[in-house]
Amino acid sequence: MSAVKVTDRISAVSILNPAMRIFDVVMKTEYGTSYNSYIVRGDEKAALIETSHVTFFSHYVEMIKQVCDPSEIEYIVLNHCEPDHSGSLRDLLDLCPNAKICVSRAGSIYLKGITNRDDLPLVIAKDGDSIDLGGATLKFIPAPFLHWPDSMFTYCEEERTVFTCDMLGSHYCEPYIYDTAVTYPAKYFEALKGYYDAIFGPFKPYVRAGLEKLSNLDYDFACTSHGPILTRDGKLNEVLRLYNEWSAQVQGEVDIPVFYCSAYGNTEKLAQAISRGILRAKPDAKSEAIDINSVEMSVLQARLNASTAFAVGSPTINSDAVAPVWELLSHVDAINSKKRPALVFGSYGWSGEAVGNITARLNGLRMSVFEDGLKVTFVPSDEDIKNAEELGFRFASSF
Ligand code: FEO
């Protein structure tokens, strides 16, 4: 891609990566992504906002050169220091010998570890600080946990533009960078929601705070760091509405799903009995036994992380819980699951390590694991089923 003009003083120098299918190891990106970066040219100085993934460094530099000589860049603003934003910084500094790096205090600490340099020319951007480029001013607005503690927005009032970093972004890539040019809007909004759930789902109070800060700004362009640039004439208002909707506080129903895998139907029988016990204790709650292998993992992940409490069961194979159970547990929202009640169970044939191993994992997440769980050898007897139902009842009565 070539550099693209956004406003009189702002150009996008964004890398498109339509082939990407997995972001940060765990996040599926069916529609690729982009690493958006921008140059703001004032009458006197130029600033670069965000850098790019280091893999694309040479192409990225070529685009910068379409807008200005890199040596003219006097500020590199990093709204967030995750390597998809900061990865090119170290090499870029060689081409931008005059550049100072504007970053939050938290970001300054991360950058030292990311670049392995402690001589970086840092300018710590505090709330309300600004830099004057001559006819264009960049004002820094802290936006913590959107999506790391270091995150901030950068606002250019003269160009009616806010640089929102990850917020309002999407892993979505089409050849043109404006929201008005998106060819497949349904796919775009699907990608927007997937991105929101994965990146911001755990940080809803911070999303609400970020939206509040954005509502105090006058802007027509939201220059995100991934996906299309959002415009008032395009999808910006709808995306803001969706973010407000998705991050709203809701008084939801009590949901206590019972996840399980079962090799021969024995752990499944325990799951069903536990769910019956849960519903006996809390008749108005939602609870059912869910075979992990029968439901899309992203759906299970969302259900688990939105649950009031949950139970999880596995047979023991190779002295451990089975892989689908571990995959589900790898998606637990570690930030918001502290003290979430959890119950562990499973049928086994010989050694039965699954329950202990899952319990150790959930304790490591600082969840509130109920009693010692339930282990049953081979086929549950009538008494085992009765015990499982009673366990479910005690579990659901405990919170
Ligand atoms: Fe786009 Fe949180 O990195």
Side-chain angles (χ1 to χ4, degrees), residues 23-24 80 82 84-85 147-148 166 171 195 199 225-226:
F23 189 88
D24 273 4
H80 170 36
E82 200 165 5
D84 53 319
H85 304 254
H147 111 265
W148 274 7
D166 283 343
H171 287 316
Y195 182 94
I199 303 291
S225 289
H226 304 289

Side-chain angles (χ1 to χ4, degrees), residues 33-62:
T33 194
S34 62
Y35 309 102
N36 300 346
S37 175
Y38 304 91
I39 294 174
V40 184
R41 298 199 73 178
D43 293 333
E44 296 152 20
K45 298 175 183 175
L48 181 70
I49 298 186
E50 314 293 358
T51 74
S52 189
H53 197 294
V54 71
T55 304
F56 304 93
F57 184 70
S58 58
H59 182 191
Y60 177 55
V61 170
E62 287 310 307

